[in-house]
Amino acid sequence: MTDQRSVGKWIFWTLFAGLVIGAVYWAARPEPVWVDLAPVVTGSFEVSITEEGKTRVKDRYLVSSPVAGYLHRVSLEIGDPVEPGQLLTEVEPMPAGILDARSRAEAQARVGAARSALNSARQKVAAAEAEAQFTADELVRLQSLSSKHFISEDRLQQALAAKNRAQAFLNSARFDEEVMAHELAAARTRLEVSAAQSNGGEAFDRVGVRSPVKGAVLGIVRTSEGVIQAGEPILEVGDPTALEVVVDVLSFDAVNLSEGVQVRLDGWGGSSLQAVVQRVEPVGFEDVSALGVKEQRVQVVADIVSPAEHWDTLGDGYRVDATFVLWSADKVLQVPASSVFYADEGTYVFRADDATARLVPVTVGKSNGLHTVIEEGLGEGNLVIRHPDRQLEHGDRVRYRSR
């Protein structure tokens, strides 16, 4: 009987001691750390630069007075369409210097220079026509190959963009030829005016100022009539359907851009448009940001390659958001960039396994500031800890604040 009591007491005190030790351990153990979790997902990924830009007409022509005289009032308004050779306004020549020999000699020299410029423009048109024909034939050839799946879709899109650019260069060369032709006509008119006689031998009453190209009035420099000097600007014309996009980017970002980089245009009031970098200016300039910080910026010019009917409501000087796509992929494993950190010359994340933080080494790829590509170390569906605290260690208990 005494032995049974001793065994009972021993069991009782053993259980009591275990309960006390368990209670002490439970009270002394550290509290779980509150964390935010994010899943490891597979999806599209893009590394890009987004800046605000604006549209502008590619070829702008500042129409000036061919002679000194008295300018008649310009009746046109901004946006009015004009045709090549259309009369914009008239200038009554001033008779004071009409018979001056020096003026006549200078006018003859200008006629010769304008004639040479016209010949040069015609050669450029011929070269542009050859390039446009070549790119068109190349596109037809690649389209036939694409139908048989011999080339990639990207190669076909590049050929289409090359054809569009070649056609745009051809249009620009033809505009230049028209300008040179009208400048030659203007130089001849000035020579005739300086000689104080027309082809029929009668004195000129007025000199017409005509549009050099087909397009619209983009700006009016001089609206009121009055005395005007030769070469003084009157108005500006251009083709509003031939637009390009100018974007001021930080010089830090400009070094990653080159001709041919794809650009996505948004934020202009319509659907997303596709463009391609045509030129990165070699000279930067200093600008002051909205926060008053001095920045070095570079102008980047992009051509719109989307069909014209998709952006026919865009005009000169319109605002757009330009996104330069530096790298993209359709299916890559990625995590929030805030979950990745560097320690001991390695890259790590904390993976949440059954309410426990596990320190996992990973191999990372591209990052766009919001997400980072994971090449090795994690699998789709894993949960990682965002913004891990510096006090968090491997094996710590965690409590989920959000997932």
Side-chain angles (χ1 to χ4, degrees):
M1 193 70 176
T2 303
D3 292 339
Q4 291 180 347
R5 289 181 179 178
S6 298
V7 171
K9 289 182 180 180
W10 181 83
I11 294 174
F12 170 77
W13 287 110
T14 299
L15 292 176
F16 180 76
L19 291 174
V20 171
I21 293 173
V24 171
Y25 170 77
W26 183 267
R29 71 173 183 169
E31 289 290 327
V33 180
W34 287 97
V35 296
D36 294 323
L37 300 183
V40 181
V41 298
T42 298
S44 60
F45 190 86
E46 181 179 274
V47 179
S48 60
I49 302 169
T50 301
E51 291 283 359
E52 182 178 315
K54 65 178 180 180
T55 60
R56 74 178 181 189
V57 173
K58 289 183 179 180
D59 299 305
R60 310 174 72 95
Y61 301 94
L62 188 62
V63 181
S64 57
S65 176
V67 295
Y70 191 85
L71 176 70
H72 285 248
R73 182 177 180 84
V74 178
S75 58
L76 295 172
E77 297 182 356
I78 294 177
D80 287 348
V82 294
E83 296 292 333
Q86 177 181 334
L87 183 66
L88 303 178
T89 186
E90 294 180 322
V91 178
E92 294 182 358
M94 298 176 62
I98 285 180
L99 298 178
D100 182 68
R102 178 180 177 182
S103 298
R104 288 198 299 271
E106 290 177 349
Q108 291 173 346
R110 290 191 181 94
V111 170
R115 186 180 294 110
S116 299
L118 177 59
N119 292 333
S120 176
R122 286 171 177 170
Q123 294 299 316
K124 293 179 180 179
V125 169
E129 287 175 345
E131 180 66 17
Q133 184 62 43
F134 173 78
T135 55
D137 294 341
E138 181 70 5
L139 178 60
V140 172
R141 185 181 70 84
L142 293 178
Q143 284 175 337
S144 64
L145 294 176
S146 177
S147 63
K148 300 176 182 179
H149 305 288
F150 287 155
I151 63 171
S152 66
E153 186 65 19
D154 289 343
R155 181 68 183 90
L156 186 62
Q157 292 299 322
Q158 291 174 2
L160 177 60
K163 175 184 175 297
N164 293 336
R165 287 198 300 271
Q167 187 62 43
F169 291 148
L170 175 58
N171 294 338
S172 178
R174 286 173 176 170
F175 287 149
D176 290 339
E177 181 185 13
E178 293 178 2
V179 172
M180 294 301 104
H182 287 287
E183 287 183 353
L184 176 58
R188 286 173 175 169
T189 301
R190 184 172 184 182
L191 177 61
E192 293 170 349
V193 169
S194 66
Q197 61 180 359
S198 65
N199 294 333
E202 298 179 357
F204 278 113
D205 292 329
R206 296 177 180 177
V207 175
V209 179
R210 302 183 181 277
S211 172
V213 293
K214 178 181 180 180
V217 178
L218 302 179
I220 300 178
V221 181
R222 177 77 176 266
T223 57
S224 301
E225 63 180 23
V227 176
I228 190 171
Q229 299 300 317
E232 188 173 338
I234 301 174
L235 46 78
E236 191 176 27
V237 298
D239 184 5
T241 62
L243 294 178
E244 61 186 8
V245 179
V246 183
V247 187
D248 296 340
V249 303
L250 293 172
S251 59
F252 176 82
D253 294 326
V255 297
N256 297 316
L257 302 178
S258 60
E259 182 179 349
V261 171
Q262 297 298 313
V263 187
R264 186 173 61 250
L265 305 178
D266 300 291
W268 62 276
S271 59
S272 180
L273 301 176
Q274 298 299 316
V276 63
V277 173
Q278 192 269 332
R279 184 176 66 257
V280 179
E281 298 288 352
V283 179
F285 61 93
E286 187 177 272
D287 193 18
V288 180
S289 68
L291 299 177
V293 179
K294 292 183 179 180
E295 301 173 334
Q296 288 301 122
R297 290 188 170 267
V298 177
Q299 275 198 345
V300 179
V301 182
D303 287 335
I304 304 175
V305 297
S306 293
E309 56 269 18
H310 293 176
W311 49 274
D312 54 1
T313 55
L314 268 180
D316 182 47
Y318 282 37
R319 174 195 176 278
V320 297
D321 290 331
T323 300
F324 300 90
V325 182
L326 304 181
W327 185 86
S328 63
D330 292 332
K331 294 182 179 180
V332 292
L333 201 65
Q334 54 190 288
V335 298
S338 59
S339 64
V340 181
F341 62 94
Y342 300 89
D344 299 329
E345 300 182 356
T347 309
Y348 299 88
V349 299
F350 276 109
R351 187 181 65 205
D353 294 341
D354 298 328
T356 303
R358 304 294 184 186
L359 185 63
V360 178
V362 293
T363 303
V364 298
K366 299 284 186 178
S367 178
N368 59 12
L370 296 178
H371 295 86
T372 300
V373 174
I374 298 297
E375 297 179 349
E376 293 181 0
L378 293 174
E380 185 175 7
N382 289 159
L383 295 176
V384 295
I385 298 176
R386 303 178 60 181
H387 305 286
D389 190 273
R390 291 186 178 181
Q391 308 300 324
L392 188 65
E393 296 182 356
H394 179 77
D396 285 352
R397 294 187 304 122
V398 293
R399 185 176 299 175
Y400 310 148
R401 186 159 41 225
S402 62
R403 298 181 64 171

